[in-house]
């Protein structure tokens, strides 16, 4: 299919009005099964709109023909490439952002600076609506596998896809679905575990994926990108333990939430935002939940507060008898933090401390 793909693509010009109306009517849609989340920051959006208003060319838009209504003839198109450009166009026309002066060329600061679409002079509004986009229309005979390969190729340069965004394009099965479902839980937003930039670039999905891999394969599993890809492939079509893992994951988060709520000193609120600490806490709580012997989570919360207070304090406190394993925990948190040995060491020292003083 790749060899004759060129024959299945037609290049045509379409104005901004066509693209805006298409997205508004859902005739032009983002295919979330392989597209990444919206990535562009404000400065990128401003520069694109400035380019359009100046009448300069921008890269092509790729639309893949999908469903055609046999009665009306209306056809739906999926965005293969151009989500960022079309997203910025729609948001600007909807007055969702202004053209910040700091992101404009000097000669345009006075004309466009600080203005939303509604504030533009009529001639510039008209020019924006009439702006001609170069659109490549891909025939519906092209299969999804070829479309994904095209998408990955087009995104191999500017705003290069990170490993998780590549996985999102390559896999659309059960393992990814569970990771995305867990990412939608209230817990993450409640404690601001992930930054907006993490979510935009799907880093939250990757971290949740490593935690799911821990549930499936244990703490000694490697987390190289190659290994994560293999797990995605393994559980893409068949994932019999999906419901079991979902319930267990939620149980661990519920207990972590209980621990955080009982921390009157708020020591743990910053700790959980550090990914290495979060992983260590997750693996520890998993152990406590599975053992069924450690059910007093108020006491566990107090112990963890003491541990991480000592972690943040001077070495004299760290070296005290109660925190004999903290030095090794610190070392494992500073050197090769994602290695199997470091993850295992942090878990062991934290577990030894809780078990000893529970």
């Amino acid at each position: 299919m790749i060899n004759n793909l060129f024959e299945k693509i037609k290049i045509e010009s379409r104005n901004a009005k066509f693209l805006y109306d298409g997205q508004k009517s859902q005739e032009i849609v983002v295919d979330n099964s392989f597209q990444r989340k919206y990535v562009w920051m404000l400065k990128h959006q401003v520069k694109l709109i400035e380019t359009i208003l100046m009448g300069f060319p921008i890269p092509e838009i790729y639309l893949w023909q999908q469903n055609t209504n046999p009665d009306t003839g209306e056809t739906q198109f999926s965005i293969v490439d151009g989500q960022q450009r079309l997203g910025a166009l729609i948001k600007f026309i909807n007055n969702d952002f202004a053209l910040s002066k700091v992101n404009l060329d000097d000669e345009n600061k006075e004309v466009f600076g600080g203005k939303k679409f509604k504030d533009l002079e009529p001639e510039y509004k008209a020019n924006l609506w009439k702006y001609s986009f170069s659109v490549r229309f891909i025939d519906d005979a092209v299969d999804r596998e070829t479309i994904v390969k095209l998408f990955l190729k087009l995104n191999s340069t500017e705003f290069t896809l990170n490993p998780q965004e590549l996985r999102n394009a390559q896999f659309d099965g059960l393992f990814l679905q569970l990771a995305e479902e867990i990412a939608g839980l209230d817990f993450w937003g409640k404690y601001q575990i992930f930054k907006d930039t993490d979510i935009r670039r799907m880093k939250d999905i990757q971290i949740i994926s490593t935690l799911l891999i821990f549930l499936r394969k244990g703490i000694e599993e490697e987390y190289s990108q190659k290994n994560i890809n293999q797990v995605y492939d393994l559980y893409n079509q068949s994932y019999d333990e999906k419901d079991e893992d979902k319930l267990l994951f939620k149980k661990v988060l519920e207990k972590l939430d209980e621990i955080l709520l009982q921390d009157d000193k708020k020591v743990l609120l910053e700790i959980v935002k550090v990914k290495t600490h979060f992983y260590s806490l997750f693996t520890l709580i998993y152990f406590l939940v599975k053992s069924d012997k450690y059910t007093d989570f108020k006491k566990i919360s107090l112990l963890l507060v003491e541990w991480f207070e000592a972690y943040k304090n001077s070495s004299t406190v760290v070296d005290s008898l109660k925190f004999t394993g903290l030095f090794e925990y610190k070392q494992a948190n500073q050197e090769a933090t994602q290695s199997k040995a470091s993850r295992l060491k942090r878990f062991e020292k934290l577990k030894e401390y809780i078990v000893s003083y529970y």
Side-chain angles (χ1 to χ4, degrees), residues 274-291:
V274 180
K275 305 304 184 290
T276 52
H277 291 319
F278 186 91
Y279 184 92
S280 300
L281 286 169
F282 188 93
T283 54
L284 171 72
I285 296 168
Y286 168 83
F287 162 76
L288 299 175
V289 168
K290 294 289 284 186
S291 70

Side-chain angles (χ1 to χ4, degrees), residues 64-315:
W64 179 28
Q65 183 176 332
Q66 297 288 278
N67 306 312
T68 298
N69 187 309
D71 297 319
T72 66
E74 292 179 348
T75 299
Q76 188 176 64
F77 294 91
S78 175
I79 303 169
V80 176
D81 192 64
Q83 179 195 358
Q84 319 299 331
R85 278 156 274 158
L86 293 185
L89 175 71
I90 303 305
K91 288 178 69 178
F92 183 67
I93 292 175
N94 288 339
N95 298 301
D96 291 337
F97 69 90
L99 302 174
S100 53
K101 285 188 176 183
V102 68
N103 299 126
L104 293 169
D105 292 342
D106 289 341
E107 62 268 28
N108 295 322
K109 292 183 187 297
E110 292 305 315
V111 181
F112 304 133
K115 292 184 178 181
K116 295 184 176 182
F117 176 75
K118 63 183 177 62
D119 304 316
L120 293 176
E121 295 295 327
E123 64 175 298
Y124 288 115
K125 287 183 181 179
N127 287 341
L128 186 143
W129 284 120
K130 294 186 295 182
Y131 182 85
S132 182
F133 287 78
S134 180
V135 181
R136 288 183 177 255
F137 289 94
I138 306 171
D139 194 278
D140 60 357
V142 178
D143 59 78
R144 185 183 183 280
E145 181 182 356
T146 303
I147 291 296
V148 170
K149 289 179 180 178
L150 175 62
F151 170 75
L152 295 176
K153 187 67 176 175
L154 291 169
N155 283 274
S156 63
T157 53
E158 186 180 10
F159 295 106
T160 301
L161 298 179
N162 64 37
Q164 186 56 47
E165 289 169 324
L166 289 170
R167 275 189 288 275
N168 189 61
Q170 293 171 300
F171 301 99
D172 61 349
L174 300 172
F175 193 85
L176 175 62
Q177 289 170 20
L178 180 56
E180 290 180 333
E181 189 176 344
I182 291 172
L185 296 176
D186 293 337
F187 176 88
W188 312 106
K190 180 178 180 180
Y191 295 108
Q192 299 180 328
I193 304 298
F194 301 114
K195 300 176 183 177
D196 289 343
T197 51
D198 290 337
I199 296 172
R200 277 199 299 269
R201 299 307 305 269
M202 302 190 74
K203 293 180 181 178
D204 57 332
I205 303 295
Q206 174 161 311
I207 290 170
I208 290 168
S209 295
T210 62
L211 294 171
L212 284 170
I213 292 172
F214 160 72
L215 295 184
R216 276 293 90 229
K217 295 178 171 291
I219 199 168
E220 295 190 4
E221 185 71 8
E222 292 289 357
Y223 291 150
S224 66
Q225 300 301 336
K226 180 180 179 181
N227 181 262
I228 297 174
N229 284 344
Q230 289 174 344
V231 173
Y232 263 71
D233 188 43
L234 178 64
Y235 296 111
N236 194 52
Q237 300 299 328
S238 177
Y239 186 4
D240 295 336
E241 306 88 349
K242 180 182 176 184
D243 291 338
E244 175 189 339
D245 288 351
K246 176 182 174 181
L247 288 174
L248 184 53
F249 203 115
K250 291 177 72 174
K251 181 71 171 179
V252 172
L253 291 187
E254 286 169 7
K255 292 302 178 183
L256 180 54
D257 182 49
E258 187 177 333
I259 287 170
L260 293 170
L261 289 174
Q262 295 182 80
D263 173 18
D264 295 332
K265 296 183 178 181
K266 310 301 182 186
V267 172
L268 302 176
L269 289 180
E270 291 303 316
I271 290 296
V272 293
K273 295 178 185 179
V274 180
K275 305 304 184 290
T276 52
H277 291 319
F278 186 91
Y279 184 92
S280 300
L281 286 169
F282 188 93
T283 54
L284 171 72
I285 296 168
Y286 168 83
F287 162 76
L288 299 175
V289 168
K290 294 289 284 186
S291 70
D292 255 349
K293 291 166 59 178
Y294 308 94
T295 56
D296 187 350
F297 279 86
K298 183 175 182 180
K299 184 174 183 178
I300 292 167
S301 180
L302 291 171
L303 288 170
L304 287 172
V305 168
E306 288 182 350
W307 174 271
F308 285 106
E309 276 187 318
Y311 179 91
K312 295 193 293 184
N313 288 337
S314 66
S315 58

Side-chain angles (χ1 to χ4, degrees), residues 7-39:
E7 301 172 6
K8 304 289 185 180
I9 299 177
K10 296 180 180 178
I11 306 175
E12 300 180 15
S13 293
R14 290 289 189 275
N15 61 27
K17 174 67 173 171
F18 168 83
L19 296 170
Y20 178 83
D21 288 346
Q23 286 214 294
K24 191 174 180 179
S25 66
Q26 290 294 292
E27 290 178 18
I28 298 176
V29 298
V30 176
D31 186 342
N32 289 315
S33 67
F34 67 86
Q35 279 276 25
R36 52 184 164 168
K37 297 183 181 180
Y38 198 79
V39 173

